mmCIF file of all heavy atoms in Angstrom:
data_model
loop_
_atom_site.group_PDB
_atom_site.id
_atom_site.type_symbol
_atom_site.label_atom_id
_atom_site.label_comp_id
_atom_site.label_asym_id
_atom_site.label_seq_id
_atom_site.Cartn_x
_atom_site.Cartn_y
_atom_site.Cartn_z
ATOM 1 N N ARG A 1 66.047 150.747 10.253
ATOM 2 C CA ARG A 1 65.543 149.392 10.073
ATOM 3 C C ARG A 1 64.855 148.832 11.306
ATOM 4 O O ARG A 1 63.815 148.054 11.210
ATOM 5 C CB ARG A 1 66.749 148.462 9.703
ATOM 6 C CG ARG A 1 66.411 146.999 9.667
ATOM 7 C CD ARG A 1 65.581 146.604 8.529
ATOM 8 N NE ARG A 1 65.299 145.152 8.563
ATOM 9 C CZ ARG A 1 64.389 144.632 9.313
ATOM 10 N NH1 ARG A 1 63.683 145.335 10.177
ATOM 11 N NH2 ARG A 1 64.198 143.292 9.262
ATOM 12 N N ARG A 2 65.316 149.225 12.461
ATOM 13 C CA ARG A 2 64.677 148.797 13.703
ATOM 14 C C ARG A 2 63.490 149.589 14.087
ATOM 15 O O ARG A 2 62.785 149.184 15.055
ATOM 16 C CB ARG A 2 65.796 148.860 14.846
ATOM 17 C CG ARG A 2 66.948 147.899 14.673
ATOM 18 C CD ARG A 2 67.763 147.844 15.859
ATOM 19 N NE ARG A 2 68.642 149.040 16.013
ATOM 20 C CZ ARG A 2 69.883 149.099 15.519
ATOM 21 N NH1 ARG A 2 70.392 148.106 14.878
ATOM 22 N NH2 ARG A 2 70.547 150.213 15.684
ATOM 23 N N SER A 3 63.180 150.650 13.404
ATOM 24 C CA SER A 3 62.024 151.418 13.717
ATOM 25 C C SER A 3 60.742 150.853 13.169
ATOM 26 O O SER A 3 60.722 149.982 12.305
ATOM 27 C CB SER A 3 62.172 152.883 13.199
ATOM 28 O OG SER A 3 62.020 152.886 11.835
ATOM 29 N N ALA A 4 59.615 151.300 13.657
ATOM 30 C CA ALA A 4 58.355 150.785 13.127
ATOM 31 C C ALA A 4 58.109 151.069 11.697
ATOM 32 O O ALA A 4 57.299 150.343 11.056
ATOM 33 C CB ALA A 4 57.188 151.357 14.027
ATOM 34 N N LYS A 5 58.784 152.103 11.189
ATOM 35 C CA LYS A 5 58.523 152.426 9.721
ATOM 36 C C LYS A 5 59.157 151.439 8.740
ATOM 37 O O LYS A 5 58.938 151.566 7.619
ATOM 38 C CB LYS A 5 59.045 153.905 9.514
ATOM 39 C CG LYS A 5 58.194 154.891 10.269
ATOM 40 C CD LYS A 5 58.796 156.294 9.962
ATOM 41 C CE LYS A 5 58.080 157.386 10.664
ATOM 42 N NZ LYS A 5 58.625 158.749 10.442
ATOM 43 N N ALA A 6 60.056 150.586 9.268
ATOM 44 C CA ALA A 6 60.809 149.745 8.374
ATOM 45 C C ALA A 6 60.523 148.305 8.672
ATOM 46 O O ALA A 6 61.417 147.403 8.663
ATOM 47 C CB ALA A 6 62.309 150.025 8.507
ATOM 48 N N GLU A 7 59.290 147.943 8.959
ATOM 49 C CA GLU A 7 58.917 146.581 9.252
ATOM 50 C C GLU A 7 58.959 145.688 8.034
ATOM 51 O O GLU A 7 58.710 146.159 6.954
ATOM 52 C CB GLU A 7 57.532 146.508 9.834
ATOM 53 C CG GLU A 7 57.404 147.208 11.231
ATOM 54 C CD GLU A 7 56.002 147.145 11.811
ATOM 55 O OE1 GLU A 7 55.118 146.679 11.017
ATOM 56 O OE2 GLU A 7 55.781 147.462 12.920
ATOM 57 N N ASP A 8 59.312 144.462 8.179
ATOM 58 C CA ASP A 8 59.322 143.507 7.105
ATOM 59 C C ASP A 8 57.935 143.203 6.662
ATOM 60 O O ASP A 8 56.952 143.369 7.326
ATOM 61 C CB ASP A 8 59.972 142.190 7.522
ATOM 62 C CG ASP A 8 61.453 142.219 7.567
ATOM 63 O OD1 ASP A 8 62.040 143.039 6.808
ATOM 64 O OD2 ASP A 8 62.057 141.511 8.427
ATOM 65 N N ALA A 9 57.805 142.763 5.394
ATOM 66 C CA ALA A 9 56.522 142.250 4.858
ATOM 67 C C ALA A 9 56.182 140.949 5.664
ATOM 68 O O ALA A 9 57.131 140.301 6.136
ATOM 69 C CB ALA A 9 56.645 141.923 3.444
ATOM 70 N N PRO A 10 54.912 140.653 5.824
ATOM 71 C CA PRO A 10 54.575 139.459 6.555
ATOM 72 C C PRO A 10 55.267 138.203 6.023
ATOM 73 O O PRO A 10 55.281 138.020 4.799
ATOM 74 C CB PRO A 10 53.019 139.398 6.371
ATOM 75 C CG PRO A 10 52.637 140.817 6.097
ATOM 76 C CD PRO A 10 53.792 141.413 5.351
ATOM 77 N N GLY A 11 55.806 137.396 6.948
ATOM 78 C CA GLY A 11 56.468 136.144 6.499
ATOM 79 C C GLY A 11 57.806 136.316 5.952
ATOM 80 O O GLY A 11 58.430 135.344 5.524
ATOM 81 N N HIS A 12 58.377 137.503 5.980
ATOM 82 C CA HIS A 12 59.761 137.734 5.399
ATOM 83 C C HIS A 12 60.624 138.405 6.454
ATOM 84 O O HIS A 12 60.200 139.322 7.123
ATOM 85 C CB HIS A 12 59.591 138.656 4.163
ATOM 86 C CG HIS A 12 61.025 138.920 3.566
ATOM 87 N ND1 HIS A 12 61.722 138.019 2.884
ATOM 88 C CD2 HIS A 12 61.755 140.016 3.561
ATOM 89 C CE1 HIS A 12 62.880 138.548 2.454
ATOM 90 N NE2 HIS A 12 62.917 139.808 2.922
ATOM 91 N N GLN A 13 61.809 137.891 6.578
ATOM 92 C CA GLN A 13 62.734 138.453 7.599
ATOM 93 C C GLN A 13 64.065 138.753 6.878
ATOM 94 O O GLN A 13 64.667 137.842 6.317
ATOM 95 C CB GLN A 13 62.942 137.475 8.707
ATOM 96 C CG GLN A 13 63.859 138.006 9.820
ATOM 97 C CD GLN A 13 63.280 139.176 10.614
ATOM 98 O OE1 GLN A 13 62.091 139.128 10.846
ATOM 99 N NE2 GLN A 13 64.130 140.175 10.973
ATOM 100 N N ALA A 14 64.470 139.997 6.841
ATOM 101 C CA ALA A 14 65.757 140.387 6.223
ATOM 102 C C ALA A 14 66.797 140.586 7.297
ATOM 103 O O ALA A 14 66.490 141.212 8.340
ATOM 104 C CB ALA A 14 65.566 141.625 5.392
ATOM 105 N N ASP A 15 68.017 140.096 7.019
ATOM 106 C CA ASP A 15 69.164 140.308 7.965
ATOM 107 C C ASP A 15 69.920 141.557 7.444
ATOM 108 O O ASP A 15 70.313 141.653 6.334
ATOM 109 C CB ASP A 15 70.069 139.149 7.995
ATOM 110 C CG ASP A 15 69.391 137.905 8.601
ATOM 111 O OD1 ASP A 15 68.618 138.103 9.498
ATOM 112 O OD2 ASP A 15 69.649 136.750 8.147
ATOM 113 N N PHE A 16 70.189 142.464 8.381
ATOM 114 C CA PHE A 16 70.908 143.687 8.076
ATOM 115 C C PHE A 16 72.266 143.740 8.769
ATOM 116 O O PHE A 16 72.375 143.346 9.929
ATOM 117 C CB PHE A 16 70.118 144.950 8.478
ATOM 118 C CG PHE A 16 69.085 145.426 7.436
ATOM 119 C CD1 PHE A 16 68.044 144.644 7.030
ATOM 120 C CD2 PHE A 16 69.223 146.676 6.881
ATOM 121 C CE1 PHE A 16 67.130 145.056 6.129
ATOM 122 C CE2 PHE A 16 68.346 147.119 5.942
ATOM 123 C CZ PHE A 16 67.275 146.361 5.555
ATOM 124 N N HIS A 17 73.238 144.187 8.013
ATOM 125 C CA HIS A 17 74.621 144.377 8.575
ATOM 126 C C HIS A 17 75.142 145.729 8.163
ATOM 127 O O HIS A 17 74.679 146.300 7.128
ATOM 128 C CB HIS A 17 75.540 143.323 8.032
ATOM 129 C CG HIS A 17 74.962 141.954 8.037
ATOM 130 N ND1 HIS A 17 75.140 141.022 9.021
ATOM 131 C CD2 HIS A 17 74.270 141.275 7.020
ATOM 132 C CE1 HIS A 17 74.480 139.920 8.744
ATOM 133 N NE2 HIS A 17 73.944 140.009 7.575
ATOM 134 N N ALA A 18 76.072 146.297 8.961
ATOM 135 C CA ALA A 18 76.737 147.545 8.595
ATOM 136 C C ALA A 18 78.231 147.322 8.646
ATOM 137 O O ALA A 18 78.750 146.661 9.571
ATOM 138 C CB ALA A 18 76.333 148.635 9.547
ATOM 139 N N CYS A 19 78.932 147.821 7.649
ATOM 140 C CA CYS A 19 80.388 147.663 7.584
ATOM 141 C C CYS A 19 80.939 148.893 6.877
ATOM 142 O O CYS A 19 80.757 149.030 5.663
ATOM 143 C CB CYS A 19 80.749 146.386 6.924
ATOM 144 S SG CYS A 19 82.571 146.087 6.863
ATOM 145 N N GLU A 20 81.644 149.726 7.568
ATOM 146 C CA GLU A 20 82.200 150.978 6.964
ATOM 147 C C GLU A 20 83.168 150.636 5.831
ATOM 148 O O GLU A 20 83.171 151.289 4.747
ATOM 149 C CB GLU A 20 82.919 151.753 8.010
ATOM 150 C CG GLU A 20 83.508 153.058 7.481
ATOM 151 C CD GLU A 20 82.406 154.164 7.203
ATOM 152 O OE1 GLU A 20 81.424 154.177 7.877
ATOM 153 O OE2 GLU A 20 82.618 154.935 6.216
ATOM 154 N N ASP A 21 84.010 149.644 5.967
ATOM 155 C CA ASP A 21 84.975 149.264 4.959
ATOM 156 C C ASP A 21 84.323 148.489 3.818
ATOM 157 O O ASP A 21 83.951 147.373 4.036
ATOM 158 C CB ASP A 21 86.044 148.387 5.578
ATOM 159 C CG ASP A 21 87.215 148.108 4.707
ATOM 160 O OD1 ASP A 21 87.008 147.642 3.548
ATOM 161 O OD2 ASP A 21 88.353 148.265 5.147
ATOM 162 N N MET A 22 84.272 149.074 2.662
ATOM 163 C CA MET A 22 83.557 148.517 1.585
ATOM 164 C C MET A 22 84.212 147.219 1.088
ATOM 165 O O MET A 22 83.507 146.272 0.764
ATOM 166 C CB MET A 22 83.489 149.566 0.426
ATOM 167 C CG MET A 22 82.717 149.082 -0.792
ATOM 168 S SD MET A 22 82.585 150.475 -1.977
ATOM 169 C CE MET A 22 84.256 150.761 -2.446
ATOM 170 N N ASN A 23 85.489 147.146 1.091
ATOM 171 C CA ASN A 23 86.174 145.948 0.624
ATOM 172 C C ASN A 23 85.909 144.757 1.560
ATOM 173 O O ASN A 23 85.656 143.640 1.150
ATOM 174 C CB ASN A 23 87.705 146.215 0.570
ATOM 175 C CG ASN A 23 88.476 145.132 -0.222
ATOM 176 O OD1 ASN A 23 88.456 145.101 -1.418
ATOM 177 N ND2 ASN A 23 89.050 144.210 0.569
ATOM 178 N N GLN A 24 85.940 145.023 2.889
ATOM 179 C CA GLN A 24 85.676 143.989 3.842
ATOM 180 C C GLN A 24 84.190 143.543 3.748
ATOM 181 O O GLN A 24 83.881 142.357 3.844
ATOM 182 C CB GLN A 24 85.962 144.453 5.287
ATOM 183 C CG GLN A 24 85.719 143.354 6.352
ATOM 184 C CD GLN A 24 86.682 142.183 6.094
ATOM 185 O OE1 GLN A 24 87.912 142.373 5.989
ATOM 186 N NE2 GLN A 24 86.139 140.939 6.054
ATOM 187 N N ALA A 25 83.305 144.515 3.498
ATOM 188 C CA ALA A 25 81.855 144.158 3.369
ATOM 189 C C ALA A 25 81.679 143.214 2.174
ATOM 190 O O ALA A 25 80.898 142.307 2.197
ATOM 191 C CB ALA A 25 81.099 145.483 3.178
ATOM 192 N N ALA A 26 82.415 143.491 1.051
ATOM 193 C CA ALA A 26 82.270 142.677 -0.094
ATOM 194 C C ALA A 26 82.752 141.231 0.191
ATOM 195 O O ALA A 26 82.145 140.251 -0.279
ATOM 196 C CB ALA A 26 83.092 143.268 -1.233
ATOM 197 N N LEU A 27 83.884 141.147 0.895
ATOM 198 C CA LEU A 27 84.397 139.787 1.248
ATOM 199 C C LEU A 27 83.375 139.065 2.164
ATOM 200 O O LEU A 27 83.150 137.808 1.985
ATOM 201 C CB LEU A 27 85.678 139.929 1.960
ATOM 202 C CG LEU A 27 86.893 140.499 1.100
ATOM 203 C CD1 LEU A 27 88.120 140.691 1.978
ATOM 204 C CD2 LEU A 27 87.200 139.578 -0.106
ATOM 205 N N ASP A 28 82.792 139.755 3.059
ATOM 206 C CA ASP A 28 81.822 139.144 4.000
ATOM 207 C C ASP A 28 80.602 138.581 3.238
ATOM 208 O O ASP A 28 80.132 137.523 3.532
ATOM 209 C CB ASP A 28 81.421 140.141 5.055
ATOM 210 C CG ASP A 28 82.509 140.532 6.047
ATOM 211 O OD1 ASP A 28 83.508 139.795 6.041
ATOM 212 O OD2 ASP A 28 82.365 141.514 6.748
ATOM 213 N N VAL A 29 80.063 139.458 2.312
ATOM 214 C CA VAL A 29 78.900 139.030 1.505
ATOM 215 C C VAL A 29 79.251 137.740 0.726
ATOM 216 O O VAL A 29 78.481 136.805 0.630
ATOM 217 C CB VAL A 29 78.424 140.157 0.610
ATOM 218 C CG1 VAL A 29 77.359 139.642 -0.309
ATOM 219 C CG2 VAL A 29 77.897 141.308 1.497
ATOM 220 N N ALA A 30 80.413 137.707 0.085
ATOM 221 C CA ALA A 30 80.812 136.616 -0.693
ATOM 222 C C ALA A 30 80.978 135.352 0.111
ATOM 223 O O ALA A 30 80.578 134.263 -0.285
ATOM 224 C CB ALA A 30 82.151 136.903 -1.451
ATOM 225 N N ASP A 31 81.469 135.529 1.372
ATOM 226 C CA ASP A 31 81.667 134.370 2.260
ATOM 227 C C ASP A 31 80.334 133.791 2.715
ATOM 228 O O ASP A 31 80.242 132.587 3.015
ATOM 229 C CB ASP A 31 82.520 134.772 3.429
ATOM 230 C CG ASP A 31 83.961 135.013 3.063
ATOM 231 O OD1 ASP A 31 84.410 134.529 2.023
ATOM 232 O OD2 ASP A 31 84.707 135.643 3.877
ATOM 233 N N ARG A 32 79.343 134.648 2.864
ATOM 234 C CA ARG A 32 77.982 134.166 3.345
ATOM 235 C C ARG A 32 77.224 133.489 2.261
ATOM 236 O O ARG A 32 76.294 132.734 2.441
ATOM 237 C CB ARG A 32 77.206 135.302 3.909
ATOM 238 C CG ARG A 32 77.687 135.784 5.262
ATOM 239 C CD ARG A 32 76.583 136.617 5.967
ATOM 240 N NE ARG A 32 76.280 137.830 5.238
ATOM 241 C CZ ARG A 32 76.901 139.010 5.394
ATOM 242 N NH1 ARG A 32 77.926 139.120 6.228
ATOM 243 N NH2 ARG A 32 76.489 140.115 4.739
ATOM 244 N N ALA A 33 77.549 133.818 1.014
ATOM 245 C CA ALA A 33 76.784 133.333 -0.175
ATOM 246 C C ALA A 33 76.875 131.806 -0.336
ATOM 247 O O ALA A 33 77.982 131.235 -0.145
ATOM 248 C CB ALA A 33 77.195 134.031 -1.420
ATOM 249 N N GLN A 34 75.781 131.164 -0.754
ATOM 250 C CA GLN A 34 75.722 129.791 -1.027
ATOM 251 C C GLN A 34 75.345 129.548 -2.494
ATOM 252 O O GLN A 34 74.774 130.426 -3.101
ATOM 253 C CB GLN A 34 74.705 129.153 -0.071
ATOM 254 C CG GLN A 34 75.005 129.259 1.366
ATOM 255 C CD GLN A 34 76.315 128.617 1.791
ATOM 256 O OE1 GLN A 34 76.577 127.510 1.364
ATOM 257 N NE2 GLN A 34 77.119 129.326 2.536
ATOM 258 N N PRO A 35 75.640 128.438 -3.044
ATOM 259 C CA PRO A 35 75.265 128.111 -4.441
ATOM 260 C C PRO A 35 73.737 128.334 -4.639
ATOM 261 O O PRO A 35 72.915 127.951 -3.784
ATOM 262 C CB PRO A 35 75.565 126.624 -4.583
ATOM 263 C CG PRO A 35 76.738 126.412 -3.658
ATOM 264 C CD PRO A 35 76.409 127.242 -2.445
ATOM 265 N N GLY A 36 73.387 129.035 -5.659
ATOM 266 C CA GLY A 36 72.009 129.406 -5.990
ATOM 267 C C GLY A 36 71.719 130.793 -5.542
ATOM 268 O O GLY A 36 70.618 131.351 -5.929
ATOM 269 N N ASP A 37 72.543 131.468 -4.700
ATOM 270 C CA ASP A 37 72.238 132.832 -4.188
ATOM 271 C C ASP A 37 72.532 133.848 -5.338
ATOM 272 O O ASP A 37 73.252 133.592 -6.291
ATOM 273 C CB ASP A 37 73.139 133.140 -2.981
ATOM 274 C CG ASP A 37 72.679 132.424 -1.742
ATOM 275 O OD1 ASP A 37 71.780 131.596 -1.803
ATOM 276 O OD2 ASP A 37 73.360 132.591 -0.712
ATOM 277 N N VAL A 38 71.955 134.979 -5.147
ATOM 278 C CA VAL A 38 72.237 136.194 -6.049
ATOM 279 C C VAL A 38 72.801 137.326 -5.216
ATOM 280 O O VAL A 38 72.144 137.670 -4.138
ATOM 281 C CB VAL A 38 70.923 136.656 -6.746
ATOM 282 C CG1 VAL A 38 71.221 137.875 -7.615
ATOM 283 C CG2 VAL A 38 70.345 135.525 -7.569
ATOM 284 N N ILE A 39 73.900 137.861 -5.529
ATOM 285 C CA ILE A 39 74.458 139.042 -4.896
ATOM 286 C C ILE A 39 74.325 140.246 -5.831
ATOM 287 O O ILE A 39 74.630 140.165 -6.970
ATOM 288 C CB ILE A 39 75.974 138.834 -4.565
ATOM 289 C CG1 ILE A 39 76.177 137.653 -3.614
ATOM 290 C CG2 ILE A 39 76.581 140.104 -3.982
ATOM 291 C CD1 ILE A 39 77.640 137.350 -3.356
ATOM 292 N N ILE A 40 73.811 141.367 -5.251
ATOM 293 C CA ILE A 40 73.582 142.585 -6.045
ATOM 294 C C ILE A 40 74.415 143.680 -5.402
ATOM 295 O O ILE A 40 74.187 144.053 -4.229
ATOM 296 C CB ILE A 40 72.157 142.979 -6.144
ATOM 297 C CG1 ILE A 40 71.273 141.752 -6.569
ATOM 298 C CG2 ILE A 40 72.010 144.112 -7.151
ATOM 299 C CD1 ILE A 40 69.764 142.091 -6.641
ATOM 300 N N THR A 41 75.387 144.268 -6.085
ATOM 301 C CA THR A 41 76.122 145.472 -5.650
ATOM 302 C C THR A 41 75.237 146.635 -6.064
ATOM 303 O O THR A 41 74.926 146.776 -7.271
ATOM 304 C CB THR A 41 77.502 145.577 -6.190
ATOM 305 O OG1 THR A 41 77.462 145.363 -7.651
ATOM 306 C CG2 THR A 41 78.333 144.463 -5.579
ATOM 307 N N VAL A 42 74.921 147.589 -5.212
ATOM 308 C CA VAL A 42 73.949 148.554 -5.436
ATOM 309 C C VAL A 42 74.512 150.012 -4.956
ATOM 310 O O VAL A 42 74.972 150.082 -3.817
ATOM 311 C CB VAL A 42 72.604 148.275 -4.642
ATOM 312 C CG1 VAL A 42 71.587 149.406 -4.966
ATOM 313 C CG2 VAL A 42 72.051 146.919 -5.062
#
């Protein structure tokens, strides 16, 4: 993600996180979500 090959589209900035523990990652995503957001498990 930090390399030149993975640049964001102009005007768009994506936040990336890494978490080995899948369950903890799910809780973290839910905690960051706000009304109106969409969460996609992929």
Side-chain angles (χ1 to χ4, degrees):
R1 168 72 181 80
R2 291 190 287 267
S3 73
K5 295 180 180 178
E7 293 180 352
D8 281 331
H12 178 74
Q13 182 68 38
D15 293 326
F16 273 63
H17 316 268
C19 182
E20 182 71 35
D21 186 312
M22 184 171 64
N23 193 80
Q24 185 59 52
L27 296 174
D28 291 345
V29 171
D31 288 344
R32 288 196 297 273
Q34 299 298 315
D37 289 0
V38 177
I39 298 175
I40 311 179
T41 52
V42 181

